[in-house]
């Protein structure tokens, strides 16, 4: 009997492996055509201040494939990074975001609001990122100070001197920087202080766990005071309840993002009634 169930387990495992490898391959091939086939869209999610007023949006990528259906960025971004299609996808995200900023400016609606764009560490590795950003800013006519890049701690695995140099060139253009998902990576604090950041984003994991004497609460409070002492704006992601909102405010957090204030939406009318962009 035992032998028999072993056999079943192994073949089940094999099947699972096979289907996950197949899925990976399918996604990586389909991704090569996602931009040209018009399958990508940007969803915007509001970022608010302590009064609950929207101060900016985060742009979040959405991919709808005709056969695979809606694929989550958590599934396809790592594959796009492994196959380097993240370079063309990243350009597309940046172009769309800058076009939106320029359009809002023309329409005199939302013209005071900025957009935060997630940038993969890989986009820095090519060496031509600054040039690409300059070109996209120029061709779109977007105001650089309305653009913020969200980076992750994985950036610290790159050549740090080179990264700092690229960030400083971009800052000279007017672009600002946020460190996303802070606390989940392996950032050395010594390295962290070298990056010319403007904002620190507390990871959703700590916001999820804000119970009275929880570890999450202790960590959130520590991260918020660290950010404030470095003169950075501190924003929390994944805020879902009034309780979390109040708690984070009491800890000194300045900006907030999460389902409590609005889910990511590809329909900009959700945020701009009566206008289509
Ligand atoms: P992220 O940058 O940390 O984005 C926040 C994620 O949390 C988003 O997931 C958002 O939809 C989700 N979220 C926001 N508020 C809440 C909330 O209150 N509760 C919960 N449970 N979730 C919330 P999403 O859109 O699935 O994106 C996942 C990740 O994919 C992003 O994490 C980011 O790392 C990556 N990503 C998305 N768009 C891009 C992109 O254009 N470029 C790159 N390089 N990465 C991207
Ligand atoms: Mg982000
Ligand atoms: Mg995040
Ligand atoms: Mg996150």
């Amino acid at each position: 009997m035992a032998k028999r169930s072993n056999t079943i387990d192994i073949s089940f495992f094999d099947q699972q492996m096979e289907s996950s490898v197949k899925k990976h391959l399918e996604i990586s091939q389909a991704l090569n055509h996602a931009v040209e086939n018009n399958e990508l869209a940007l969803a915007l999610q509001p970022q608010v201040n302590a009064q609950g007023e929207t101060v900016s949006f985060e742009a979040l990528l959405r991919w709808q494939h005709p056969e695979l259906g809606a694929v989550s960025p958590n599934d396809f971004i790592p594959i796009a990074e492994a196959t380097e299609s993240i370079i063309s996808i990243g350009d597309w995200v940046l172009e769309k975001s800058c076009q939106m900023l320029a359009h809002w400016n023309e329409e005199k609606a939302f013209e005071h609001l900025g957009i935060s764009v997630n940038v993969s560490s890989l986009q820095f590795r090519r060496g031509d990122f600054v040039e690409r950003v300059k070109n996209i800013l120029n061709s779109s006519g977007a105001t650089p100070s309305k653009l913020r890049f969200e980076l992750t701690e994985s950036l610290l695995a790159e050549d740090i001197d080179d990264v700092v140099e690229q960030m400083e060139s971009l800052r000279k253009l007017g672009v600002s920087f946020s460190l996303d998902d802070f606390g989940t990576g392996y950032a050395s604090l010594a390295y962290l202080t070298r990056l010319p950041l403007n904002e620190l984003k507390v990871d959703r994991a700590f916001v999820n766990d804000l119970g009275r004497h929880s570890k999450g609460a202790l960590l959130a409070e520590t991260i918020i005071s660290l950010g404030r002492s470095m003169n950075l704006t501190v924003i929390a992601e994944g805020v879902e309840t009034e309780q979390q909102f109040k708690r984070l405010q009491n800890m000194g957090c300045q900006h907030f993002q999460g389902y409590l204030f609005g889910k990511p939406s590809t329909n900009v009318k959700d945020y701009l009634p009566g206008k289509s962009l």
Side-chain angles (χ1 to χ4, degrees):
M1 277 307 265
K3 214 172 185 178
R4 199 191 167 113
S5 74
N6 271 346
T7 319
I8 291 168
D9 281 345
I10 290 165
S11 73
F12 177 67
F13 178 68
D14 275 355
Q15 267 172 28
Q16 274 206 326
M17 278 261 288
E18 198 183 299
S19 81
S20 102
V21 169
K22 221 174 122 195
K23 184 104 189 163
H24 195 288
L25 203 68
E26 265 178 356
I27 291 181
S28 70
Q29 281 166 352
L31 263 180
N32 289 326
H33 308 286
V35 172
E36 60 203 69
N37 290 354
N38 249 329
E39 292 163 4
L40 299 179
L42 281 187
L44 295 181
Q45 185 177 33
Q47 302 181 318
V48 309
N49 62 18
Q51 284 72 48
E53 299 156 348
T54 300
V55 290
S56 48
F57 293 101
E58 178 174 4
L60 293 158
L61 201 46
R62 295 292 175 260
W63 179 29
Q64 182 75 34
H65 184 266
E67 273 113 50
L68 299 169
V71 189
S72 158
N74 288 319
D75 293 330
F76 73 79
I77 295 285
I79 299 176
E81 287 177 334
T83 61
E84 301 208 344
S85 52
I86 193 67
I87 302 290
S88 55
I89 291 174
D91 278 354
W92 183 88
V93 171
L94 201 53
E95 269 162 25
K96 279 284 161 202
S97 303
C98 286
Q99 285 164 8
M100 266 196 270
L101 285 171
H103 193 72
W104 292 349
N105 207 29
E106 275 166 27
E107 295 287 306
K108 300 272 169 278
F110 278 11
E111 72 272 28
H112 59 294
L113 303 180
I115 298 185
S116 263
V117 172
N118 294 285
V119 172
S120 160
S121 305
L122 224 82
Q123 290 172 269
F124 276 84
R125 207 180 289 169
R126 285 271 171 121
D128 61 352
F129 186 53
V130 177
E131 213 44 46
R132 281 167 185 270
V133 175
K134 261 191 206 162
N135 288 339
I136 293 173
L137 280 167
N138 282 338
S139 60
S140 64
T143 309
S145 62
K146 293 284 182 286
L147 189 62
R148 172 163 299 162
F149 288 153
E150 292 195 5
L151 313 174
T152 63
E153 290 168 73
S154 67
L155 197 71
L156 297 167
E158 305 290 324
D159 175 348
I160 187 83
D161 293 320
D162 183 56
V163 165
V164 170
E165 199 182 307
Q166 293 189 55
M167 285 175 75
E168 301 215 297
S169 305
L170 291 164
R171 281 247 287 212
K172 280 194 195 120
L173 297 177
V175 177
S176 61
F177 292 96
S178 180
L179 194 63
D180 203 354
D181 302 331
F182 185 71
T184 57
Y186 304 94
S188 127
L189 287 181
Y191 266 17
L192 184 67
T193 55
R194 290 201 49 197
L195 299 180
L197 297 168
N198 305 81
E199 183 182 87
L200 205 58
K201 210 163 178 184
V202 183
D203 190 69
R204 172 151 56 94
F206 308 116
V207 177
N208 258 336
D209 180 31
L210 280 185
R212 278 288 148 200
H213 299 288
S214 68
K215 256 194 198 148
L218 186 68
L219 289 169
E221 195 158 18
T222 307
I223 291 168
I224 292 165
S225 49
L226 174 75
R228 304 268 334 228
S229 70
M230 288 169 69
N231 260 329
L232 304 174
T233 305
V234 180
I235 178 166
E237 65 176 17
V239 183
E240 295 180 354
T241 67
E242 282 290 345
Q243 241 176 341
Q244 291 169 340
F245 181 35
K246 293 227 170 72
R247 202 78 213 282
L248 289 161
Q249 276 188 64
N250 290 335
M251 292 176 175
C253 192
Q254 298 138 301
H255 291 164
F256 313 84
Q257 181 182 348
Y259 297 165
L260 181 64
F261 312 102
K263 291 197 171 179
S265 169
T266 50
N267 185 358
V268 92
K269 284 186 185 158
D270 286 353
Y271 303 114
L272 196 63
K275 298 246 181 211
S276 59
L277 289 170

